[in-house]
């Protein structure tokens, strides 16, 4: 499936959204990302794709279908676009119970194919919730219902607008795993919009990066999502690891990390490390310690922020560590310096 | 307690009230939704016009309707179609509906303003046409206010006097509604004679308000 977008829409005197990008979904990868800070035009872009807002000029083509073409006055109305939307706050219909929400689109999807009710309910673990009113659901449950509702409408493209950002950390990673598995299971291409790097690194095969209403980069997440120095939205230290024979994991050749519980051999995992959990040490004689992970690397950059200095260290993968200004001074940290990044096995979190 | 003529006035008022509600609710719902969700040039002017019957003297509203629908207006055309309005029960219904419209419209507008417009937009991405999204999402979510508006409109219709007397007159058995009967009998038989009818008017008005609240509460559940 291919989505070709070239859109312009003036939103105010000072802000015109002008985005052009082209996304291909390969058969095995179902999720493309849109990344950008708040207010960069992400949500408006989705509204234009769904047909809920009209561009001043431009064209949208999804596969062979032209959804909008200002030049030839084509504008497929939202109900005929087969573009499903999952919003940040789920937007469940409050007057309908869970089952009626899930089936809202199923009764209106005309002749389009859609996954069966039972399959969707199973995949999103909704069986126990079906008779409940939606105001009795948790945030994670609401998002699962919203996703089920969108899937049952038989979409050819799913737009996921920051669908997990309202969830707490633990549910967030579980929800991301679920999104990945259902888009794959039901073979629906999805455009996942987020202002968080870690989510897109976890999910997306391709990322479109927006800034101030323009596309500034399209490509592989690792390239497109490289943290900029001035980027306050960076959530660093999320990486993919291979599991090794001894149950340790490796994010890059020659780098081994110990987990609190050894990993079972199998598919690669995603790990996350809080920047506050990394202690920086100068190389020296080793003293016995309970710290299981100690990686030698080179300081790449330092950036002062209120209450901390953020230190970028290359240990084979990029890591960001937060230390106090006093500590940075005492260690004499400067670009080029050799340091050890030390963190306990418990600090290394395996994501769902 | 009531004599035959009073019972008849009561029946006419009830019928006129129900017919006026049926007549007034569709435009009140549409106008309420339109003005709650759209912005357009001249919106303030439209809003003022819709609320005008609320502040105009009812007799003046009745006079305007009489000019519009009487012999020098659309009267001959309506007569030819067999739909005469002036001095008929249709006149009662129309006068009541016009007078009740602002109340019904205001209640509907407030109700629609409280519904998140993104819900209807989301319904459209699920395959609902604009009309379907309105009927299956927006209207059910606004039902409390819409029902309350209908009940208020009924109460207002049953109590309508000024515009009715000008447009529909005082024809016994056809246009003599409850308030018209109260006025007529107070003139001819004295105030004591109309005390039961007056009391009934109060009961009807209070009952309508209580019912409106109760319906709204049930709608919310």
């Amino acid at each position: 499936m291919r989505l070709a977008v070239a859109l312009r829409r003036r939103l105010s005197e000072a802000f015109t959204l002008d985005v052009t990008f082209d996304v291909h979904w390969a058969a095995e990868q179902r999720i493309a990302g849109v990344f950008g800070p708040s207010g960069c035009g992400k949500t408006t872009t989705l509204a234009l794709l769904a047909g809920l807002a009209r561009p001043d000029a431009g064209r949208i083509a999804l596969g062979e279908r032209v959804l909008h073409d200002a030049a030839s006055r084509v504008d497929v109305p939202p109900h005929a676009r087969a573009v499903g939307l999952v919003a940040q706050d789920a937007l469940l219909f409050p007057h309908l119970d869970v089952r009626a929400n899930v089936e809202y689109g199923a009764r209106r999807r005309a002749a389009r194919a859609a996954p069966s009710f039972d399959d969707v309910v199973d995949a999103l673990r909704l069986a126990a919730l079906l008779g409940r009113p939606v105001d009795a659901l948790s945030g994670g449950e609401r998002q699962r219902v919203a996703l089920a509702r969108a899937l049952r409408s038989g979409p050819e493209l799913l737009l996921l607008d920051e669908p997990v950002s309202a969830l707490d950390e633990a549910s967030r990673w579980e929800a991301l795993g679920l999104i990945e598995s259902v888009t794959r299971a039901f073979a629906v291409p999805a455009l996942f919009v987020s202002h968080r790097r870690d989510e897109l690194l976890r999910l997306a095969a391709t990322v479109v990066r927006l800034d101030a209403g323009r596309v500034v980069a399209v490509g592989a997440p690792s390239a497109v999502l490289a943290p900029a120095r001035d980027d306050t939205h960076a959530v660093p230290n999320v990486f993919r690891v291979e599991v090794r024979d001894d149950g340790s994991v490796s994010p890059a050749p020659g780098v081994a990390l110990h987990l609190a519980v050894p990993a079972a051999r199998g598919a690669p995992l995603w790990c996350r490390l809080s920047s506050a959990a990394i202690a920086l040490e100068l190389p020296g004689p080793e003293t016995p310690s309970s710290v299981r992970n100690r990686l030698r690397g080179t300081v790449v950059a330092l950036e002062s922020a209120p209450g901390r200095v953020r230190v970028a260290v290359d240990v084979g993968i990029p890591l960001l560590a937060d230390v106090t200004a006093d500590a940075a001074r005492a260690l004499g940290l400067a670009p080029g310096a050799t340091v050890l990044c030390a963190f306990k096995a418990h600090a290394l979190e395996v994501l769902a | 307690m009531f004599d035959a003529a009073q019972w008849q006035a009561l029946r006419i008022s009830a019928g006129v009230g129900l017919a006026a509600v049926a007549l007034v609710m569709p435009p009140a719902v549409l106008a309420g939704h339109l003005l709650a969700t759209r912005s357009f040039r001249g919106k303030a002017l439209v809003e003022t016009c819709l609320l005008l019957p609320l502040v105009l003297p009812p007799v003046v509203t009745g006079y305007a309707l009489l000019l519009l629908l009487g012999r020098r207006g659309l009267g001959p055309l309506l007569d030819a179609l067999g739909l005469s309005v002036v001095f008929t029960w249709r006149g009662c219904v129309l006068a009541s509906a016009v007078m009740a419209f602002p109340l019904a419209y205001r209640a509907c507008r407030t109700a629609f303003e409280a519904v998140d417009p993104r819900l209807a937009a989301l319904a459209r991405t699920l395959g609902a046409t604009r009309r379907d999204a309105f009927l299956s999402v927006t209207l059910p979510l606004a039902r409390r206010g819409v029902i309350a508006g209908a009940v208020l409109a009924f109460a207002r219709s049953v109590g309508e006097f000024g515009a009715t007397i000008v447009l529909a007159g005082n024809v016994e058995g056809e246009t003599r509604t409850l308030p018209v009967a109260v006025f007529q009998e107070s003139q001819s038989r004295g105030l004591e004679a109309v005390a039961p009818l007056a009391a009934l008017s109060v009961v009807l008005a209070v009952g309508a308000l209580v019912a409106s609240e109760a319906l709204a509460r049930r709608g919310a559940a």
Side-chain angles (χ1 to χ4, degrees):
Chain A
M1 182 61 88
R2 171 170 181 248
L3 174 68
V5 176
L7 292 172
R8 195 172 73 241
R9 179 169 156 119
R10 199 175 122 131
L11 296 170
S12 71
E13 288 284 324
F15 191 84
T16 298
L17 183 74
D18 193 345
V19 291
T20 301
F21 62 86
D22 211 336
V23 176
H24 292 262
W25 282 268
E28 72 282 7
Q29 236 308 340
R30 287 291 162 195
I31 299 177
V34 175
F35 173 78
S38 306
C40 73
K42 302 189 297 286
T43 296
T44 306
T45 302
L46 292 196
L48 292 167
L49 293 177
L52 299 174
R54 215 179 251 233
D56 298 327
R59 189 170 192 278
I60 306 167
L62 180 61
E64 299 296 306
R65 293 193 304 141
V66 175
L67 300 182
H68 182 91
D69 188 357
S72 57
R73 294 175 175 252
V74 173
D75 186 52
V76 177
H79 66 268
R81 287 197 176 194
V83 172
L85 181 63
V86 176
Q88 182 175 345
D89 46 355
L91 292 177
L92 300 181
F93 302 129
H95 59 304
L96 302 177
D97 66 8
V98 169
R99 180 190 297 272
N101 265 281
V102 170
E103 288 302 89
Y104 184 90
R107 282 183 268 115
R108 294 171 166 84
R109 67 167 187 269
R112 291 200 299 272
S116 79
F117 178 75
D118 291 342
D119 288 349
V120 168
V121 166
D122 277 353
L124 289 160
R125 306 195 305 269
L126 297 177
L129 306 178
L130 289 174
R132 288 210 209 157
V134 296
D135 56 8
L137 304 178
S138 71
E141 289 167 345
R142 294 174 68 82
Q143 288 300 359
R144 271 151 50 202
V145 174
L147 190 53
R149 180 177 64 176
L151 286 168
R152 283 288 288 153
S153 71
E156 289 179 18
L157 172 65
L158 258 185
L159 305 176
L160 306 169
D161 187 7
E162 311 234 5
V164 301
S165 63
L167 308 183
D168 62 55
E169 281 297 287
S171 333
R172 213 157 64 82
W173 291 98
E174 191 190 338
L176 290 178
L178 208 52
I179 287 170
E180 186 178 46
S181 67
V182 296
T183 50
R184 197 172 287 168
F186 299 124
V188 182
L191 205 56
F192 185 99
V193 170
S194 178
H195 65 274
R196 296 189 52 151
R197 284 195 168 75
D198 52 357
E199 293 174 3
L200 292 170
L201 282 167
R202 166 76 179 78
L203 285 182
T206 311
V207 173
V208 177
R209 183 168 180 164
L210 295 185
D211 197 16
R214 301 279 190 286
V215 174
V216 291
V218 183
S222 54
V224 172
L225 297 174
R229 270 170 152 273
D230 57 350
D231 195 334
T232 53
H233 299 279
V235 181
N237 302 351
V238 173
F239 38 83
R240 190 181 161 96
V241 296
E242 302 290 340
V243 180
R244 293 156 34 125
D245 288 335
D246 61 356
S248 66
V249 294
S250 170
V255 182
L257 300 174
H258 297 280
L259 297 169
V261 179
R265 272 202 71 84
L269 303 171
W270 284 84
C271 288
R272 181 174 47 164
L273 190 54
S274 160
S275 53
I278 302 176
L280 296 182
E281 301 171 349
L282 295 180
E286 253 185 65
T287 48
S289 163
S290 67
V291 172
R292 302 281 288 127
N293 294 301
R294 211 171 241 108
L295 302 174
R296 179 182 287 263
T298 309
V299 174
V300 178
L302 289 97
E303 180 194 330
S304 291
R308 67 167 192 218
V309 174
R310 175 156 283 190
V311 186
V313 185
D314 183 356
V315 295
I317 56 168
L319 286 183
L320 294 187
D322 287 342
V323 298
T324 61
D326 284 349
R329 255 195 311 277
L331 294 178
L333 295 180
T338 299
V339 291
L340 296 173
C341 290
F343 49 92
K344 299 177 64 163
H346 278 110
L348 190 60
E349 195 184 342
V350 177
L351 304 176
Chain B
M1 191 163 59
F2 300 125
D3 61 31
Q6 289 176 330
W7 274 117
Q8 192 173 48
L10 202 57
R11 276 199 301 276
I12 290 173
S13 268
V16 164
L18 290 175
V21 167
L23 189 64
V24 84
M25 286 319 286
V29 165
L30 287 180
H33 183 246
L34 191 74
L35 273 87
T37 54
R38 305 278 177 88
S39 48
F40 50 88
R41 200 184 287 264
K43 184 171 169 177
L45 185 67
V46 171
E47 166 109 81
T48 306
C49 292
L50 295 179
L51 292 177
L52 214 50
L54 206 56
V55 288
L56 272 183
V59 175
V60 173
T61 303
Y63 180 66
L65 287 172
L66 189 59
L67 282 183
L68 181 69
L69 304 169
R71 225 171 301 157
R72 280 176 290 174
L74 299 172
L77 178 66
L78 293 169
D79 291 346
L81 292 171
L83 295 171
S84 303
V85 167
V86 178
F87 299 125
T88 69
W89 64 272
R90 290 190 199 92
C92 292
V93 172
L94 195 66
S96 297
V98 168
M99 294 307 298
F101 178 82
L103 287 177
Y105 152 73
R106 275 254 273 250
C108 291
R109 178 175 173 168
T110 307
F112 287 125
E113 277 170 348
V115 177
D116 186 343
R118 296 177 307 157
L119 290 168
L122 198 121
R124 302 214 57 209
T125 69
L126 294 167
T129 60
R130 202 183 285 276
R131 201 179 104 133
D132 182 8
F134 174 75
L135 292 175
S136 65
V137 175
T138 310
L139 190 56
L141 288 173
R143 67 190 182 280
R144 303 167 59 181
V146 172
I147 292 171
V151 174
L152 285 178
F154 178 78
R156 182 70 187 82
S157 301
V158 169
E160 207 323 282
F161 175 75
T164 305
I165 195 85
V166 175
L167 185 65
N170 179 8
V171 182
E172 192 176 350
E174 170 137 8
T175 71
R176 186 174 294 167
T177 58
L178 191 62
V180 175
V182 169
F183 176 71
Q184 161 86 25
E185 296 198 7
S186 70
Q187 299 289 302
S188 59
R189 293 165 58 192
L191 282 175
E192 291 77 19
V194 298
L197 271 187
L200 181 68
S201 299
V202 174
V203 170
L204 273 179
V206 172
L209 282 177
V210 172
S212 157
E213 288 296 308
L215 279 168
R217 269 199 302 277
R218 198 194 302 172

